Each structure stands twice: as structure tokens, then as C-alpha cells.
Amino acid sequence: MLLRSYNESDRKAVIAFVVTGKQTNYVDPLAETLSTTGLYRENYVIEVNGLIIGFFQIDSKTNNQCIPDHLELHEVIIDSKHQNQGYGKEFLKELFPFLKEQYSEAAGVCLTVNCKNHSAINLYLRSGFADTGMIKAEGRSGPQHVMKKDLARLD
Ligand SMILES: CC(C)(COP(=O)(O)OP(=O)(O)OC[C@H]1O[C@@H](n2cnc3c(N)ncnc32)[C@H](O)[C@@H]1OP(=O)(O)O)[C@@H](O)C(=O)NCCC(=O)NCCS
């Protein structure tokens, strides 16, 4: 698995990603995400054997993160045809050393996840994120848990 910066030649593959059912409540279509957030978040893709299977964003610059001085992880998506094969878990294992290398000054990484998105919540908890106990009220589909992972203490 390779995590790398998104570039314009990835656009066709990324905007073709599909999520179905309840998952559509938790992420925006990527064409929309790229046009509305590209200026103030860094875009990344997740590649497996040369195939782009996922996408995520990092907010390192707005000073509007859910926890001060932390990076904020956004718009994590594994394309539906590649879900339930362990890629989400593998992505989160790769993510922390990747962020540490890309953003060596960051104290940690935080995220918000919809309180009904049990699959993602379980994945984040199993992968090293801690639930802060804080709830962010204004999520697009209801309240969201605030989670974080300390990057300073990685080996
Ligand atoms: C959340 C998300 C990123 C998880 O990605 P994923 O690649 O499906 O994750 P994994 O395959 O590692 O794990 C998902 C499930 O598959 C199971 N699984 C893992 N490997 C498996 C395998 N080889 N065979 C069958 N099932 C497997 C896991 O146990 C897990 O089960 P759970 O739903 O009970 O927790 C993906 O569902 C997604 O893109 N969702 C839509 C967007 C979203 O909600 N993003 C989060 C916003 S905060």
C-alpha cells in the first residue's frame, strides 16, 4: 500500500469512487470535495498495486482543527468495490508514520466521525485513535465523536 499526494491526473479515478447506502450520509461525492476544499486541505490517495483504491484529506493549515495544534483527517474513503478487504485497517496502520514524516512538527492527528458510523468508529478505535469524549454537534448528518492520536509518541 502506498499513500501519496493527489495530483490532477488522479482526478478521473477518484471522482469515479462510489459509496452506497448509509455511507452516503458520511462523505460528500469526491468531485464536490475536490472543488470546495482543495485550497485549504491537502489531498492524498491510497494506492494498492498501482490502483487507486482510496482517498483522504489532511487539514494542516486552517487553525480550525477539532483539537488545536493537531492535523485533522477528513473525507476518508475506500471505494466500495475495495471495501471489507482490510484496506481501511491497513491504511490507518500506514497513516501515522506517513503523517509523522510529512508533518514532523505535528503533535497529533484528530478527526470527527458521525456517531452512527459504527464501522468507521470501530475501525478508528481498533487502529489507535482514542475517543476524546467530546461531541461536535454540527456534523452534516448529526453529532460526531471527536477522536485523536498522539503522533509525538510513535516509535
Ligand atoms: C470506513 C471505511 C474507510 C472502512 O474501509 P474498509 O476498507 O472497508 O475497512 P476494512 O476492510 O479494514 O474493515 C471494514 C470491515 O471489514 C472487515 N474485514 C476486514 N478484512 C476483511 C476481509 N479480508 N474479509 C471480510 N471482511 C473483512 C473488518 O472486520 C471490518 O468489519 P466491521 O465493519 O465490523 O468493523 C469504508 O467503509 C468507507 O470508505 N466508508 C465510507 C466513507 C466513511 O464513512 N468514511 C469515514 C468518515 S469519518
Side-chain angles (χ1 to χ4, degrees), residues 38-42 58-65 71:
L39 285 177
Y40 56 95
R41 293 181 192 164
E42 293 90 42
I58 295 292
D59 173 3
S60 66
K61 29 187 169 183
T62 62
N63 288 324
N64 198 25
Q65 291 85 352
L71 306 169

Side-chain angles (χ1 to χ4, degrees), residues 18-20 23-24 26-27 53 73-80 82-91 111-114 117-124 126 144:
V18 173
V19 295
T20 57
Q23 291 187 359
T24 56
Y26 308 136
V27 279
I53 60 118
L73 176 64
H74 288 273
E75 304 300 324
V76 173
I77 302 182
I78 302 291
D79 186 21
S80 63
H82 300 291
Q83 289 183 14
N84 297 319
Q85 297 169 42
Y87 291 137
K89 188 174 165 197
E90 191 179 344
F91 157 64
L111 60 83
T112 60
V113 55
N114 189 287
N117 193 355
H118 302 294
S119 193
I121 290 169
N122 288 335
L123 184 64
Y124 291 135
R126 283 200 307 255
Q144 298 182 294

